[in-house]
Amino acid sequence: MFLGPLSGFVEDLSGERISAWVSAAGAWGPIVIIALMTIAIVATPIPSAPIALAAGAAYGHTIGTIYIVIGAEFGALAAFALARFLGRDVLTRWFGETVDKGWLGSQNALTLTVFASRLMPFISFDIVSYAAGLSCLHFWRFAVATLAGIIPASFVLAHFGNEAMSGEPGRAAWAAVGLGALTLAPIIAVAIREQRGRKARS
């Protein structure tokens, strides 16, 4: 449907259009933001970034972050549940107990993986949610790891949307730098840890 009848909807989805919808919705605006975020997570072709930016532009970085987090959490839980109930049994029938071998069978490792992935905006939020549902990760662990991990990125996106709408290029530029720093921080941390590990082994 997203390649056919709804392809124009996905292509035309932008921060400006979403902001217009939110303004037209009035008191229902927060529901629109939360619903769009939820749908964007479950339906992978729909981008979630414009929705988050529009939330920040419409409600500011604090309230906007709350709406983004609620919608993203709902969407992640829905995607997890779909994968768990529709795909988990198929995997276990195909691969048996081998599907949960190694770190794929470790609750702590899976929880940490989900949490770390939420801190990295370039990793697909949707795919991680579906993949986690196919694993043996407990539902409550997934919910907590997702909630803790999405707050920083949601705040930065909402803040960037708010600053972009302020009309001050300098503030918007600093917000963009903050988003880049948030993206690079986990990569740098992993690189430093790997370098220390190599030195310790040598």
Side-chain angles (χ1 to χ4, degrees):
M1 288 185 67
F2 288 110
L3 293 176
L6 297 181
S7 59
F9 169 77
V10 176
E11 292 173 359
D12 295 337
L13 195 63
S14 63
E16 292 78 9
R17 172 166 287 193
I18 296 169
S19 295
W21 292 347
V22 171
S23 299
W28 291 93
I31 303 300
V32 171
I33 291 292
I34 293 172
L36 284 175
M37 280 297 299
T38 301
I39 294 170
I41 302 304
V42 176
T44 300
I46 299 179
S48 57
I51 303 169
L53 293 173
Y59 300 106
H61 46 253
T62 302
I63 302 300
T65 297
I66 294 174
Y67 296 148
I68 295 168
V69 168
I70 293 173
E73 183 77 1
F74 283 169
L77 295 179
F80 180 94
L82 284 171
R84 174 60 53 88
F85 292 116
L86 298 180
R88 172 73 180 171
D89 289 342
V90 175
L91 278 183
T92 53
R93 283 200 300 269
W94 285 354
F95 301 104
E97 295 182 359
T98 59
V99 73
D100 293 327
K101 281 191 174 181
W103 69 271
L104 289 175
S106 169
Q107 292 293 320
N108 290 336
L110 290 171
T111 302
L112 182 61
T113 300
V114 171
F115 173 73
S117 71
R118 300 316 194 194
L119 297 174
M120 303 179 187
F122 56 86
I123 295 180
S124 173
F125 192 96
D126 316 354
I127 292 177
V128 170
S129 300
Y130 283 111
L134 294 174
S135 73
C136 64
L137 181 62
H138 294 157
F139 182 83
W140 71 267
R141 283 178 170 268
F142 173 79
V144 172
T146 295
L147 182 62
I150 61 178
I151 291 175
S154 298
F155 178 82
V156 172
L157 284 171
H159 185 69
F160 182 58
N162 187 44
E163 296 300 312
M165 291 299 291
S166 69
E168 298 183 23
R171 295 173 65 183
W174 278 112
V177 170
L179 180 60
L182 179 67
T183 302
L184 290 175
I187 300 176
I188 295 173
V190 171
I192 293 174
R193 187 181 65 180
E194 290 295 325
Q195 186 177 12
R196 288 178 177 176
R198 285 196 296 269
K199 287 182 179 179
R201 289 191 295 269
S202 63

